[in-house]
Amino acid sequence: AGKQAHPDFAVVSGDLVTASAFLGADGKPVPGPLARLQQISARSPFRLFFALGNHDLVLYNFAAASIGEVEDQSVSGQARAAWIRALDCFRNGTFYSFQKRVGATRYRFVILDNGYFGERLAGGQREFSFSGEQQYWLKKQVNQNPEDVLILVLHVPLEGDAASRSVLAAIAGRKKPALVLAGHTHVPNKVEPVPAEGQPLLLQVWTPAYYTAPSHWRLLRLHEDRIEIAVTGTPDKTAKTLALTP
């Protein structure tokens, strides 16, 4: 994807596979999803940084489909362990950060793990959660690097729920505008601010799922004083510019 853009690296905001594991109709495990992704990522001409989504922490049990027990996130601990073994970006855990410098500006990419919802609520609704230890870690990332420009990569967008409020509370000490790169909802070309009272501008970027079309990717250009966010699949057309200085 995006070969004409010649990116330095790419970030992927979750749902890397349909499920971390499957049980077939015969009740036996179906191998392969993580191994297949390993093969694909090994062939990438640039480095890939992944975040985990809800599909990446789930077992699909087709043998139990007749009684409605298809989707099961009780395997999330095993799934995270498998991801840590499978991909180098997760070698220190399923949430992590890395830095990129452009001139005098240092960008801190913070990759979050927010795909866990557990058991569905009444009516089939899902309530995603953001773990306390991850909130503590994120707050330390912000407090120890106050001059860094944050780029948060997560699966479930910040949309006013309890998990979103936890993230906003953790980044409340930042001094500069920040960017959120989200997935999950498959929303088309959308870039909008996240309400964050008392904080600098926080701009959230939605990009539709790549599996639905090979043009569903975005180019970000990081400059010393701004971030240019391209239109989905069109690297030479800017959808929005985030200024980093007043």
Side-chain angles (χ1 to χ4, degrees):
K3 291 181 180 178
Q4 68 269 39
H6 303 293
D8 294 325
F9 61 93
V11 295
V12 185
S13 57
D15 281 359
L16 311 175
V17 292
T18 303
S20 65
F22 296 89
L23 289 180
D26 58 1
K28 296 180 180 179
V30 178
L34 273 66
R36 180 60 177 150
L37 183 62
Q38 278 181 302
Q39 295 169 0
I40 294 170
S41 60
R43 297 200 304 267
S44 174
F46 42 80
R47 189 169 182 185
L48 299 171
F49 295 94
F50 297 106
L52 295 183
N54 52 289
H55 280 274
D56 306 317
L57 301 175
V58 74
L59 165 74
Y60 279 146
N61 185 349
F62 291 97
S66 61
I67 56 174
E69 295 177 0
V70 174
E71 187 180 56
D72 179 6
Q73 277 201 321
S74 70
V75 301
S76 60
Q78 299 171 37
R80 288 187 173 104
W83 284 113
I84 290 169
R85 292 192 299 268
L87 294 173
D88 184 64
C89 66
F90 295 130
R91 65 185 180 275
N92 292 321
T94 58
F95 51 91
Y96 59 97
S97 69
F98 63 93
Q99 299 171 358
K100 296 291 178 181
R101 184 178 288 277
V102 180
T105 299
R106 189 169 67 179
Y107 289 92
R108 178 169 295 273
F109 284 78
V110 178
I111 316 296
L112 301 178
D113 174 351
N114 73 334
Y116 182 75
F117 62 85
E119 189 174 7
R120 284 184 182 267
L121 305 177
Q125 297 299 310
R126 296 179 293 191
E127 186 173 287
F128 289 92
S129 60
F130 189 72
S131 67
E133 66 269 23
Q134 191 171 185
Q135 184 178 11
Y136 174 65
W137 172 85
L138 177 56
K139 191 171 185 63
K140 286 199 71 172
Q141 290 283 306
V142 173
N143 290 345
Q144 291 177 352
N145 306 279
E147 299 300 327
D148 288 8
V149 176
L150 287 179
I151 298 181
L152 304 180
V153 182
L154 43 72
H155 183 60
V156 183
L158 302 181
E159 295 186 308
D161 60 344
S164 299
R165 291 193 294 272
S166 296
V167 174
L168 292 177
I171 66 173
R174 65 191 173 89
K175 295 183 178 181
K176 296 182 179 180
L179 202 64
V180 177
L181 307 180
H184 187 58
T185 57
H186 302 187
V187 172
N189 205 43
K190 182 179 177 182
V191 183
E192 291 184 356
V194 176
E197 187 175 350
Q199 298 189 35
L201 177 64
L202 183 62
L203 200 62
Q204 185 158 238
V205 180
W206 289 260
T207 303
Y210 180 69
Y211 81 90
T212 60
S215 62
H216 288 170
W217 55 273
R218 287 184 189 265
L219 181 69
L220 300 184
R221 290 186 174 91
L222 307 181
H223 299 271
E224 193 170 20
D225 62 344
R226 69 192 186 281
I227 302 173
E228 294 175 357
I229 306 157
V231 173
T232 300
T234 311
D236 58 350
K237 187 175 182 180
T238 300
K240 191 83 171 181
T241 298
L242 177 64
L244 303 181
T245 54

